[in-house]
Amino acid sequence: MSGPIAEALAARPDLAERYADFRSATHTAFGEKRTTMVRQVIAQVHGCPIPDGTPPDPDLADWRSSSRFTCGERAWLAYAERIPFEHTAIADDEAEAVVAELGEAGYVAFSLVAALADAECRAAMVDLPSLTKG
Amino acid sequence: MSTKPRVSSALPGEPPHLLSVLAHQPEIARTFGELYGAFWDSDELGARTKEIARMRNARVTECGFCRNVRFDKAVGEGLAEDTVDDITDDYPTSGRLSDAEKAALRFTDALIHDPALLDRRARPALEKAFTPPQIAELGLGVSLFFALAKALITMGLEPETMTRTVLPTPRVPVPAE
């Protein structure tokens, strides 16, 4: 597993494995393909590369203009974009649309995937791994 | 910000809260419990420092639940309310927070709010105050506090009102026999 938090935890193997397990559980629950999409749109909001080095999907760079995405996908992509800087402004109807698409269990997984993606971008932006190399 | 839960509790008889909602995804709930428990069980970085960072995150992310909870391990390490009251934007001038705690707070602000804050003075101050394994633990903690606050808020799990509550500090779950 890569990414700034996983890399920083090389200094703490006891925590590294548990973080990897938790992150993996969220990705498995939401689906790897959808997880990658969420991680990319959140990185785009931050203006940074996807923290684990995944090559970006060019269609996602301007997903609103692409015909590739379903209505349901557009609902949770738009919601994901709100996480980094507008998390308190997300309205109930926006959440309802995502729950309708993903189901409650899927919405829980999505919420954690998006929140962790946001945290990982921020960890990358302070170059967390460089602080833990000693 | 909505205080109307956007997802139901998966535990019969329980209202919607973080753990009852995580129960919709048992493997996520299990691995989260292991991780968060291990993080708070660790004494590599003191609970007081971790709680101070958590309080700063709570204030910046506007997580009311986070702000009103106190974990008992940190309270046991001497974290008093007058010190918590100092964790505002004026924390650099606090006489109750140590230089190491202020360095941890500056790092917290940089990670959750403005990376430019970890500048040419703040970075060495952090590295002077904490070892690399401690910084790794702090970085994990702040990242988790931030992500959990966002998840709580966006899932509508913030309470409308809440009094300050001391809770048992999360621990690694003991396997049932």
Side-chain angles (χ1 to χ4, degrees):
Chain A
M1 168 165 292
S2 60
I5 299 172
E7 288 172 34
L9 287 175
R12 292 296 306 277
D14 56 320
L15 296 174
E17 186 177 340
R18 287 181 162 114
Y19 178 70
D21 287 347
F22 171 60
R23 201 179 94 162
S24 179
T26 65
H27 290 191
T28 298
F30 189 53
E32 289 292 347
K33 182 180 165 208
R34 296 196 295 195
T35 294
T36 301
M37 292 166 70
V38 166
R39 288 169 65 80
Q40 180 173 336
V41 297
I42 285 178
Q44 284 170 181
V45 171
H46 281 291
C48 70
I50 302 170
D52 64 2
T54 302
D57 176 345
D59 285 339
L60 272 175
D62 187 13
W63 59 266
R64 285 182 172 83
S65 301
S66 170
S67 58
R68 203 181 108 194
F69 304 103
T70 66
C71 279
E73 287 171 335
R74 289 169 189 278
W76 50 260
L77 285 171
Y79 186 115
E81 284 187 340
R82 307 260 269 157
I83 297 287
F85 298 106
E86 300 173 85
H87 66 284
T88 59
I90 296 171
D92 287 342
D93 61 345
E94 294 174 78
E96 281 165 16
V98 176
V99 175
E101 170 68 12
L102 299 177
E104 289 197 306
Y107 174 70
V108 170
F110 162 75
S111 298
L112 288 166
V113 163
L116 281 176
D118 185 14
E120 291 214 346
C121 282
R122 295 170 190 270
M125 289 161 73
V126 298
D127 196 6
L128 180 63
S130 72
L131 292 164
T132 62
K133 283 185 168 53
Chain B
M1 183 184 329
S2 178
T3 56
K4 176 184 135 193
R6 292 164 171 172
V7 59
S8 66
S9 166
L11 298 177
E14 284 278 337
H17 54 73
L18 180 65
L19 295 182
S20 73
V21 156
L22 280 188
H24 281 287
Q25 293 282 3
E27 187 60 8
I28 292 179
R30 184 189 71 77
T31 53
F32 171 70
E34 292 271 344
L35 171 63
Y36 210 46
F39 168 77
W40 282 104
D41 273 347
S42 167
D43 290 319
E44 182 81 37
L45 186 67
R48 181 186 153 109
T49 301
K50 290 189 268 203
E51 188 76 336
I52 284 169
R54 193 178 70 78
M55 289 294 99
R56 183 63 182 162
N57 173 78
R59 192 181 284 268
V60 175
T61 58
E62 301 181 62
C63 179
F65 176 82
C66 308
R67 252 181 107 157
N68 283 295
V69 163
R70 302 286 181 272
F71 288 138
D72 59 2
K73 193 172 178 182
V75 175
E77 286 185 15
L79 183 62
E81 285 306 309
D82 55 1
T83 303
V84 175
D85 289 342
D86 279 4
I87 306 173
T88 64
D89 291 350
D90 293 328
Y91 68 75
T93 61
S94 168
R96 297 187 184 93
L97 294 162
S98 68
D99 287 346
E101 288 164 348
K102 290 174 186 176
L105 285 169
R106 179 101 175 177
F107 167 79
T108 298
D109 277 350
L111 198 154
I112 68 177
H113 174 57
D114 182 2
L117 290 172
L118 207 59
D119 56 20
R120 285 189 299 177
R121 287 180 66 184
R123 189 172 283 258
L126 181 74
E127 291 171 326
K128 180 182 172 188
F130 301 106
T131 64
Q134 288 175 325
I135 294 173
E137 186 168 324
L138 181 63
L140 171 67
V142 173
S143 299
L144 288 179
F145 302 152
F146 180 79
L148 291 172
K150 290 234 169 162
L152 270 171
I153 290 167
T154 58
M155 290 196 283
L157 300 177
E158 284 285 288
E160 283 202 31
T161 58
M162 183 176 173
T163 54
R164 190 170 308 126
T165 307
V166 179
L167 292 179
T169 305
R171 304 214 61 183
V172 176
V174 175
E177 291 185 13

